[in-house]
Amino acid sequence: MQGSSNGIYKKYIKRLLDITLSLTAIIFLSFLILIIALFVRLKLGSPVLFKQKRPGMNEKVFLMYKFRTMTDERGQDGKLLSDDIRLTKFGKFLRSTSLDELPELFNILKGDMSLVGPRPLLVQYLPLYNEHQKRRHEVRPGLSGLAQVNGRNTLSWKDKFDLDVKYVENVNFILDIKVIFLTIKKVFIREGINSETAATVEAFEGNKDNS
C-alpha cells in the first residue's frame, strides 16, 4: 500500500506540488528577484542570467537559469581567467545565500526541474557515469536534494551520487518536505557552499576505479 501511494505521489502529486510552490515563490519573491537582477546588472554586467544546458529526467537536455556570479574577465590570450579571480565578492554572497539559484524556480514551473531531486550537472558528465550513477536521471533534477542537505559541495562525488540514487529509490512526500525544510535551514546558516579546495565545484572526471 505504501509503495502504491509513493508511486501516485511520484507520478502525479509531486509535479502538482512543484507547480504550486514554485509559482507561489515566484510571486512572493518577485520584488527580491528584480532587485537581485538589478544589482547583478550593475555589478557584473550583462547578461544578468547565466544560462547553461543541463541534462534532466531521462537525460533530456534543458536550459537551466541562474543569476550570474562571475565576471567575463579574460587574459591577454583572450581566454577566461580562473574561477577564483572572476568570482567577485558579490558573486560569493549570491552563492553563499543560494540567491543565485532563484531563477531555477522558472525551470521548475516549466517542468524541467523539481523542487527536490538530484542537482542537474554538466552535459559532458553523461558519458562518465557508471550504471549506478546514471540512475540519478530517473527523476527530474532538483533545486535541492539529499546531497545538498548532507554536505553539498564538501562531499566527494561518490557520496553525492550515492545520495542521489538513494533519493531516486525513496521518493515520497515526507522525504521531499524534509529536504525542503533542511534546505531552508542550510541557506540561513550558509553551510557547505564551497569545497575545501576550490572557489567552485571540482570537475567530475569519471570513475577511475571503474566502480
Side-chain angles (χ1 to χ4, degrees):
M1 182 64 71
Q2 184 177 358
S4 177
S5 61
N6 287 345
I8 293 173
Y9 171 75
K10 182 177 178 181
K11 191 172 183 178
Y12 302 108
I13 302 176
K14 183 175 172 66
R15 178 61 189 143
L16 182 60
L17 190 66
D18 284 338
I19 294 172
T20 302
L21 293 183
S22 62
L23 183 58
T24 301
I26 289 170
I27 294 171
F28 182 73
L29 300 173
S30 58
F31 183 71
L32 176 61
I33 291 172
L34 289 173
I35 291 296
I36 294 172
L38 177 62
F39 272 93
V40 171
R41 179 67 180 84
L42 293 174
K43 290 180 173 291
L44 299 176
S46 183
V48 169
L49 292 180
F50 171 75
K51 303 176 184 179
Q52 191 174 55
K53 291 182 178 179
R54 299 288 178 98
M57 186 165 65
N58 299 321
E59 301 184 6
K60 180 180 178 181
V61 176
F62 69 97
L63 199 61
M64 189 183 78
Y65 312 124
K66 298 177 71 172
F67 282 122
R68 68 182 297 184
T69 55
M70 293 192 287
T71 67
D72 289 327
E73 292 179 83
R74 297 176 183 269
Q76 294 181 347
D77 57 2
K79 294 182 178 179
L80 289 171
L81 297 177
S82 62
D83 289 351
D84 59 330
I85 294 176
R86 295 190 297 120
L87 183 61
T88 65
K89 184 177 181 180
F90 176 63
K92 289 179 180 178
F93 168 75
L94 290 180
R95 291 190 180 192
S96 69
T97 55
S98 295
L99 291 172
D100 63 318
E101 310 278 0
L102 286 179
E104 290 171 42
L105 290 169
F106 293 95
N107 285 122
I108 296 171
L109 192 60
K110 287 171 57 183
D112 299 324
M113 295 176 60
S114 176
L115 284 168
V116 181
R119 283 293 297 165
L121 301 177
L122 301 178
V123 173
Q124 55 261 43
Y125 292 171
L126 287 175
L128 304 179
Y129 298 141
N130 59 33
E131 292 303 312
H132 174 72
Q133 294 162 351
K134 285 182 180 179
R135 295 201 59 199
R136 70 192 311 279
H137 293 290
E138 292 178 13
V139 297
R140 284 186 178 88
L143 182 66
S144 185
L146 280 181
Q148 282 61 53
V149 298
N150 285 281
R152 199 172 177 177
N153 292 341
T154 61
L155 295 174
S156 68
W157 279 111
K158 181 182 182 304
D159 290 340
K160 288 180 186 178
F161 291 140
D162 286 345
L163 286 168
D164 289 343
V165 175
K166 180 179 179 180
Y167 176 78
V168 170
E169 294 176 340
N170 296 278
V171 178
N172 63 76
F173 176 74
I174 299 298
L175 179 58
D176 278 2
I177 294 300
K178 180 180 178 180
V179 170
I180 289 171
F181 277 102
L182 285 175
T183 299
I184 294 171
K185 177 184 176 182
K186 294 283 184 180
V187 167
F188 275 108
I189 64 176
R190 303 190 190 183
E191 184 178 76
I193 303 301
N194 293 316
S195 64
E196 295 179 353
T197 58
T200 53
V201 185
E202 291 89 349
F204 176 58
E205 299 178 346
N207 301 280
K208 297 178 181 179
D209 60 356
N210 295 320
S211 60

